[in-house]
């Protein structure tokens, strides 16, 4: 239902489901244009909001690992996760510009793979990276997933990289919804 409200941010910004899907599609096309392939990692240092949801949806339909990085970490901790996850792209928010910029430099994230919400020196604004990219559903969709990092109780944090299922992302979403229903978890 493309006209259904999908996201409402604090401050009043809203997106309908169709608008959110279109933006996620544009981000998928932009990341592929950078050369990302299924199995590659896309790291984010973002607050909760529309861009994080778009990144999740883009990764989930392109076979990417989404590596969410806590924005409370310092630059060296972010750099460690960027390096360890072998992130090919890094999406940071201008609220965390200093840490994102220093981490990208330390980890050696290629300049072409540095994207920003807002302005970060040395990063391409996300809007510019997505300019001219199609909002149409990408071809060759395959399920991706989140690659979370442990707290590192036995040393440095460790990424949990599970094997990607060779499945259509819509099928995986349906299975997830079925799982929620089986356990009585409410959701839409």
């Amino acid at each position: 239902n493309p006209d259904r409200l999908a996201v409402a941010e604090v401050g009043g910004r809203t997106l309908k489901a169709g608008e959110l899907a279109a933006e996620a599609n544009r981000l998928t096309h932009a990341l592929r244009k950078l050369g990302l392939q299924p199995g590659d990692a896309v790291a984010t240092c973002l607050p909760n909001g529309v861009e994080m949801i778009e990144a999740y949806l883009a990764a989930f339909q392109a076979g990417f690992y989404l590596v969410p990085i806590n924005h409370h970490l310092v630059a060296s901790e972010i750099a460690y996760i960027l390096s360890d996850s072998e992130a090919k792209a890094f999406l940071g928010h201008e609220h965390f510009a200093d840490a994102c910029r220093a981490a990208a430099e330390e980890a050696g994230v290629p300049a072409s793979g540095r994207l920003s919400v807002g302005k970060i020196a040395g990063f391409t604004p996300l809007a510019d990276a997505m300019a001219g990219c199609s909002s149409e559903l990408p071809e060759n969709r395959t399920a991706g997933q989140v690659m979370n990092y442990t707290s590192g109780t036995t040393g440095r944090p460790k990424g949990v990289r599970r094997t990607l299922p060779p499945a259509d992302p819509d099928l995986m979403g349906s299975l997830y919804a079925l799982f929620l229903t089986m356990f009585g978890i409410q959701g839409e």
Side-chain angles (χ1 to χ4, degrees), residues 18-32 54 57-58 61 130 133-138 141:
E19 295 168 325
L20 180 61
E23 290 304 295
N25 291 343
R26 291 178 62 224
L27 180 54
T28 300
H29 290 297
L31 292 168
R32 284 181 172 177
E54 290 171 0
L57 294 173
Q61 74 175 347
M130 291 170 50
C133 290
S134 173
S135 62
E136 297 297 316
L137 198 63
R141 294 171 71 234

Side-chain angles (χ1 to χ4, degrees), residues 9 30 55 73 77 94 97 104-105 133 142 156 160 181 185:
E9 285 187 319
L73 297 178
E77 294 168 320
E94 68 182 351
E105 287 296 321
C133 290
T142 186
R156 288 207 172 242
V160 180
T181 302
I185 300 169

